[in-house]
Amino acid sequence: RQHMEKYGTTKEQFAKVSVKNHRHSVNNPGSQYQDACSLEEVLASRLVYDPLTILQCCPTSDGAGAAILCSQEFANKHNISRPVKIVGQAMQTDKLEDFAMGALGMIGVGMSRRAAEKVYEQAGLGPKDVQVIELHDCFSTNELVSYESLGLCKEGEGGRLIDENQVTYGGKWVVNPSGGLLSKGHPLGATGLAQCAELVWQLNGKAEKRQVEGARVGLQHNVGRGGACVVTMYRKD
């Protein structure tokens, strides 16, 4: 609501995020929901908290995830010549200045921005170098504001990205090709590893029907209320 009041973002723009992610989930056999839905269906579904309808909220989920993190020496020893590398990672927590921003600060806009900036500095890469992104879309609204926190666009322009199809196949980035939390599910502690797994599959060219063409750099954004945000950048050399 604050974003709508401040920037003129519409209910339809938030709902389009859900349409996109449910469309992506059709190609993910591991997704909790694997059905596409129209904009009209999203807007007509049960209202949870204006402007969010039930199809814009992640489902209650159970799940597990695992990742193998190793040194370059270990990879060489086991004949893994081109492993996916973590080239930047940062965690940030809430600050008092974030709460002064109001609701947007309380859902992690500030800490997400700071974490992303640190990762870009570490990696020497920025949003323009990224092809695929898995971000924390616990609600459709959170994905749209995260476009801005991650520097994909300026503040207040997240709605434009979804309107112009810049965050799906054929656009500048493919965001949540897995279907995101909205479709794949949100099993809390396993959510971050599920994002990691999706990005590693994408960078290794093993994402099957949802493969992002030419994916070489991936960005991960995960949030825990309380709050903490971790942003990670992966690269396939």
Side-chain angles (χ1 to χ4, degrees):
R1 289 178 179 180
Q2 183 184 7
H3 202 275
M4 295 168 76
E5 293 169 1
K6 190 172 183 179
Y7 301 114
T9 312
T10 65
K11 292 183 179 182
E12 288 77 13
Q13 289 171 324
F14 288 131
K16 285 179 182 179
V17 171
S18 186
V19 173
K20 170 185 71 71
N21 289 353
H22 283 287
R23 183 174 68 245
H24 289 176
S25 75
V26 172
N27 292 321
N28 185 1
S31 183
Q32 186 168 341
Y33 295 153
Q34 298 177 34
D35 298 316
C37 55
S38 67
L39 179 62
E40 292 72 24
E41 288 172 324
V42 172
L43 291 171
S45 63
R46 177 169 60 86
L47 186 67
V48 174
Y49 185 85
D50 189 39
L52 292 169
T53 61
I54 192 69
L55 285 176
Q56 297 179 72
C57 305
C58 65
T60 301
S61 310
D62 291 317
I68 297 173
L69 181 66
C70 71
S71 65
Q72 183 67 60
E73 290 74 21
F74 182 94
N76 294 340
K77 180 179 178 181
H78 292 271
N79 298 316
I80 305 171
S81 60
R82 296 179 61 226
V84 172
K85 296 180 179 179
I86 295 175
V87 294
Q89 186 174 65
M91 183 181 80
Q92 291 289 300
T93 57
D94 291 318
K95 293 184 176 182
L96 286 176
E97 64 194 54
D98 297 327
F99 300 126
M101 295 169 59
L104 285 170
M106 293 180 185
I107 65 167
V109 165
M111 62 182 180
S112 295
R113 182 184 302 119
R114 290 191 297 274
E117 288 172 351
K118 285 182 177 293
V119 164
Y120 298 150
E121 182 179 356
Q122 289 174 17
L125 301 169
K128 62 179 174 49
D129 302 300
V130 173
Q131 294 82 43
V132 58
I133 301 170
E134 283 282 313
L135 61 75
H136 199 277
D137 60 320
C138 48
F139 304 99
S140 61
T141 46
N142 290 64
E143 172 164 331
L144 190 146
V145 300
S146 293
Y147 299 158
E148 301 166 16
S149 298
L150 296 175
L152 308 188
C153 61
K154 297 178 181 178
E155 286 186 34
E157 294 185 356
R160 176 181 59 81
L161 289 190
I162 193 71
D163 280 343
E164 296 177 356
N165 294 315
Q166 294 297 331
V167 285
T168 188
Y169 297 87
K172 291 183 179 179
W173 308 272
V174 179
V175 178
N176 287 328
S178 66
L181 282 56
L182 289 172
S183 297
K184 181 184 65 199
H186 184 14
L188 300 183
T191 291
L193 284 174
Q195 293 177 322
C196 170
E198 176 67 25
L199 290 173
V200 170
W201 288 328
Q202 289 285 349
L203 299 186
N204 278 326
K206 296 182 178 180
E208 301 178 333
K209 292 182 179 179
R210 62 188 186 280
Q211 181 65 49
V212 176
E213 185 177 356
R216 286 293 176 267
V217 179
L219 189 67
Q220 177 185 356
H221 164 267
N222 195 24
V223 172
R225 292 273 65 83
C229 174
V230 177
V231 174
T232 308
M233 184 175 282
Y234 303 83
R235 186 180 68 205
K236 179 77 170 185
D237 292 330

